Amino acid sequence: MTRPPQRLRIVTYNIHKCRGLDGRTSPARIISVLEPLDADIFCVQEVVNAPGARLRARGPSIYDQAGQISRAFPAYTAQFGANRPLHGGTYGNLTLSRLPIRSWHNHDLTSRREERGALQTDIELGPHLLRLFNVHLGTGLYERRRQARVLLGEKILGHPELRPPRVVVGDLNEWTRGLTTHLLRSSFQTFSPRHTLRVPATFPGLLPLVTLDHCYYEAPLELIESHLVRTPTALVASDHLPLVADFTLTSPPTDRADTH
């Protein structure tokens, strides 16, 4: 009897510290964008994790973003990769998975300017172990080139014991096809995300002109479809649009004894 293919939905979303294009900071609004997407894995960038910070005496902190988003998805396991201090807490990337997480590690990609990181989570995907990297690269050209070399180097993606399937998602901050794109495309497959207007751009959200948010993957993952979320709320909740990617996985499992 043939086993049905494993299905997987991944969403990546730069939430811009929950600050929308209308100037309002609202974790609840970001949550309302994510909830209908029914993803197996959410990869979120530019997240503040400062539950002790308060702008007002009453109500939840608008800076308890990692906590509020995690609590809104009780069926998911959350891991937060802190990259730098902010508002008495930290700031970085958040990964939520409703599949079991075996291990996680936040890799330092800092290169002279603002602290950056790649949050690795090793996720049990049926008989496979998925290595997922939630990434937010720098805005400077030379900074980003150094980060790309570190990311693709032997200590992270190029580690000799790191077996497929690997997925790299997030905000690469690359406005043109530079070194980061070249290096990732030499090792991974990717796609141009599209929505109903057939425009493959994710930033800025209200009138997207460039694609900063990407998903790179490798066999045995196979892309089924992808799209951008352009609901009225998503258009103003952040300066980026969420990217949704649906995969199938049908090949025999890799060796899951590796725990790197």
Side-chain angles (χ1 to χ4, degrees), residues 29-74:
R29 184 165 58 180
I30 292 294
I31 292 167
S32 73
V33 173
L34 292 173
E35 282 180 329
L37 302 183
D38 191 32
D40 297 294
I41 302 169
F42 291 105
C43 295
V44 190
Q45 303 88 44
E46 289 200 29
V47 185
V48 181
N49 184 27
R54 291 284 192 277
L55 285 185
R56 300 180 178 87
R58 300 177 181 177
S61 170
I62 61 172
Y63 297 135
D64 181 24
Q65 297 168 8
Q68 289 188 53
I69 294 172
S70 299
R71 290 189 293 272
F73 296 90

Side-chain angles (χ1 to χ4, degrees), residues 102-103 122 129 131 159-164 254-260:
R102 178 183 292 190
S103 62
D122 296 342
L129 189 61
R131 314 310 182 101
H159 193 285
E161 296 180 3
L162 201 66
R163 297 181 176 91
T254 57
D255 181 7
R256 288 179 53 181
D258 170 30
T259 58
H260 170 75

Side-chain angles (χ1 to χ4, degrees), residues 30-145:
I30 292 294
I31 292 167
S32 73
V33 173
L34 292 173
E35 282 180 329
L37 302 183
D38 191 32
D40 297 294
I41 302 169
F42 291 105
C43 295
V44 190
Q45 303 88 44
E46 289 200 29
V47 185
V48 181
N49 184 27
R54 291 284 192 277
L55 285 185
R56 300 180 178 87
R58 300 177 181 177
S61 170
I62 61 172
Y63 297 135
D64 181 24
Q65 297 168 8
Q68 289 188 53
I69 294 172
S70 299
R71 290 189 293 272
F73 296 90
Y76 292 66
T77 301
Q79 300 294 351
F80 182 76
N83 296 327
R84 65 178 175 90
L86 187 66
H87 299 308
T90 54
Y91 167 78
N93 303 328
L94 174 69
T95 298
L96 301 168
S97 173
R98 63 182 172 195
L99 301 170
I101 294 178
R102 178 183 292 190
S103 62
W104 70 279
H105 180 76
N106 195 43
H107 299 278
D108 185 11
L109 298 179
T110 304
S111 178
R112 297 183 182 177
R113 301 181 66 180
E114 179 183 344
E115 295 91 333
R116 302 280 179 167
L119 175 58
Q120 175 184 348
T121 48
D122 296 342
I123 298 170
E124 296 183 9
L125 181 60
H128 300 264
L129 189 61
L130 172 68
R131 314 310 182 101
L132 182 85
F133 295 82
N134 181 359
V135 178
H136 187 198
L137 299 186
T139 56
L141 174 62
Y142 295 104
E143 170 194 28
R144 195 166 54 251
R145 285 180 174 179

Side-chain angles (χ1 to χ4, degrees), residues 186-209:
S186 67
S187 300
F188 296 89
Q189 301 179 61
T190 190
F191 53 87
S192 294
R194 297 185 181 276
H195 53 64
T196 53
L197 298 180
R198 311 301 294 171
V199 178
T202 65
F203 176 89
L206 195 59
L207 183 63
L209 300 174

